[in-house]
């Protein structure tokens, strides 16, 4: 069972998600990106977490882009993290993520 906090929980993919009401199942970062844009996201738009932290839904950390660009950016980010981030830091993040989902 995921931990609940103020009407949200961390879903199986690591995103903060609304757990009740008419927006139940909606990921918080998508709502914030839409508010930032002042419109609904288009069908081909995705929201990228600039710092790679899916739980950081601050407007400054969110960037709307098309899926192709997002895949390219995410691949570069994953390569960088795998290449340059110390394994101890990755282990700490994995432990944190695991505890958020228990």
């Amino acid at each position: 069972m995921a931990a609940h906090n103020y009407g949200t929980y961390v879903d199986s993919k690591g995103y903060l998600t609304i757990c009740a009401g008419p927006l139940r199942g909606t990921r918080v970062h998508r709502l914030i990106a839409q508010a930032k844009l002042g419109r609904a996201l288009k069908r081909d738009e995705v929201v990228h977490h600039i710092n790679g932290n899916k739980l950081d839904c601050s407007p400054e950390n969110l960037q709307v882009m098309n899926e192709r660009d997002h895949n390219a950016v995410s691949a570069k980010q994953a390569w960088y993290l795998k290449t340059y981030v110390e394994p101890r830091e990755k282990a700490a993040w994995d432990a944190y993520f695991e505890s958020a989902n228990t």
Side-chain angles (χ1 to χ4, degrees):
M1 180 88 173
H4 292 267
N5 187 19
Y6 302 107
T8 61
Y9 68 98
V10 178
D11 71 12
S12 63
K13 301 239 181 197
Y15 294 100
L16 197 59
T17 305
I18 296 173
C19 64
L23 296 176
R24 181 180 184 181
T26 304
R27 291 178 172 159
V28 174
H29 69 282
R30 295 182 59 80
L31 290 175
I32 293 171
Q34 290 177 107
K36 182 179 173 180
L37 290 172
R39 63 169 173 79
L41 292 172
K42 295 177 184 172
R43 206 169 223 188
D44 66 337
E45 291 178 322
V46 296
V47 181
H48 176 67
H49 290 82
I50 296 167
N51 69 4
N53 181 352
K54 295 178 182 179
L55 299 178
D56 181 355
C57 296
S58 61
E60 307 79 36
N61 186 46
L62 302 177
Q63 181 179 8
V64 176
M65 56 181 64
N66 67 44
E67 192 168 355
R68 190 183 92 221
D69 291 343
H70 181 255
N71 290 343
V73 168
S74 293
K76 287 177 186 175
Q77 196 170 39
W79 172 84
Y80 178 84
L81 291 172
K82 187 170 28 169
T83 304
Y84 294 106
V85 174
E86 291 183 38
R88 183 178 63 212
E89 291 175 17
K90 182 180 181 325
W93 168 251
D94 290 342
Y96 170 77
F97 181 72
E98 181 65 31
S99 70
N101 283 309
T102 56

